[in-house]
Amino acid sequence: MREIRPIVALDFPSFEDVKAFLALFPEEEKLYVKIGMELYYAAGPEIVRYVKSQGHSVFLDLKLHDIPNTVKSAMKVLSNLGVDMTNVHAAGGVEMMKAAREGLGQGPKLIAVTQLTSTSEEQMKDFQNIQTSLAESVVHYAKKTAEAGLDGVVCSAHEVEAIKSATNSDFVCLTPGIRPAGSAIGDQKRVMTPSDARQIGSDYIVVGRPITQAENPVEAYRQIKADWNA
Ligand code: C5P
């Protein structure tokens, strides 16, 4: 179930930046990339079509959260774009997640965000009025995600063990916040190296700036890929 390629977060502001970045790689090297809100809202669905036409795989990270019918219709559109994986907020509920799956169909992977990693336990208790620990809330949402028939969740690498033991070992854990040993952490708080993420059972890792901002992005990508597969 583990994806061999690290997913590269294409956190670029424009189509041109993406084209220039992808052009650094040899034509036969096919990547798995993450397209997030900034790029999608700037460049539109055309960016997904372009990246797919180049033979790369796409995780479209739009974190849908709306009434079930709207999410189902939106997912149909994303399915027609040929995305390989996309996501919703688990907080939208089991009915919404089931509707998302119906709209997307069975081909692409569908995962959910539990608690955003930018949410602290204090904020969760105060603002969302959820009076458990953050870790319990994450596991609760993961169990509901599995119940809705989704493939897995986006989570911190530190949460993988608890999530897999509360669901099952095939339940996908996709983990951002990955940093090669010795590289800049940036605004991430709790990071893990690719090889440690592998050890604890991550199925997919998402890596952005350590690759996109590297002096030699291709070399950085290959090193991270090698560490992930070591
Ligand atoms: O540059 P960096 O490796 O930190 O990029 C990580 C990517 O994963 C970014 O696109 C970020 O928005 C995303 N992400 C994250 N933490 C989450 C969910 C998504 O870092 N909990």
Side-chain angles (χ1 to χ4, degrees):
M1 174 73 79
R2 188 176 61 91
E3 166 67 43
I4 305 285
R5 297 166 296 178
I7 297 182
V8 184
L10 294 182
D11 292 325
F12 294 112
S14 76
F15 210 127
E16 291 316 309
D17 291 314
V18 171
K19 275 190 177 160
F21 174 78
L22 293 176
L24 298 172
F25 290 81
E27 201 172 337
E28 63 281 5
E29 181 142 27
K30 300 305 178 194
L31 306 182
Y32 203 141
V33 301
K34 177 172 95 71
I35 294 176
M37 288 186 202
E38 181 191 8
L39 182 59
Y40 189 77
Y41 293 143
E46 204 44 49
I47 188 71
V48 178
R49 290 194 194 98
Y50 172 77
V51 172
K52 288 291 298 179
S53 74
Q54 301 299 301
H56 306 297
S57 301
V58 173
F59 164 34
L60 189 58
D61 179 22
L62 296 182
K63 304 185 178 73
L64 273 64
H65 187 174
D66 207 320
I67 59 170
N69 190 57
T70 300
V71 169
K72 181 177 167 182
S73 311
M75 283 293 175
K76 264 189 203 154
V77 175
L78 301 187
S79 181
N80 289 336
L81 283 179
V83 299
D84 298 276
M85 173 155 58
T86 188
N87 60 0
V88 294
H89 267 286
V94 166
E95 205 192 321
M96 186 205 75
M97 290 194 271
K98 284 183 174 168
R101 170 60 88 199
E102 258 181 68
L104 188 65
Q106 295 298 328
K109 293 241 179 298
L110 180 58
I111 59 177
V113 173
T114 59
Q115 289 286 354
L116 289 168
T117 46
S118 54
T119 304
S120 69
E121 187 162 304
E122 231 172 21
Q123 273 174 339
M124 181 192 76
K125 287 184 169 160
D126 180 52
F127 182 72
Q128 300 178 31
N129 199 17
I130 295 174
Q131 303 304 325
T132 59
S133 69
L134 189 65
E136 271 178 80
S137 173
V138 165
V139 165
H140 170 75
Y141 276 138
K143 280 158 78 175
K144 292 291 179 191
T145 302
E147 192 184 309
L150 270 56
D151 298 293
V153 289
V154 182
C155 64
S156 150
H158 299 271
E159 295 162 350
V160 170
E161 227 178 322
I163 288 170
K164 293 229 181 215
S165 62
T167 55
N168 60 77
S169 59
D170 290 339
F171 193 66
V172 165
C173 288
L174 174 145
T175 61
I178 300 296
R179 288 291 177 270
S183 89
I185 286 179
D187 56 356
Q188 295 283 9
K189 296 206 167 62
R190 296 164 71 220
V191 300
M192 209 180 260
T193 65
S195 51
D196 287 347
R198 180 179 183 181
Q199 284 279 314
I200 51 86
S202 288
D203 300 283
Y204 296 82
I205 53 169
V206 175
V207 189
R209 287 161 291 181
I211 295 169
T212 55
Q213 309 288 311
E215 218 161 279
N216 184 338
V218 176
E219 187 52 34
Y221 171 76
R222 292 198 178 136
Q223 275 178 15
I224 288 168
K225 187 175 172 189
D227 191 30
W228 170 234
N229 288 289

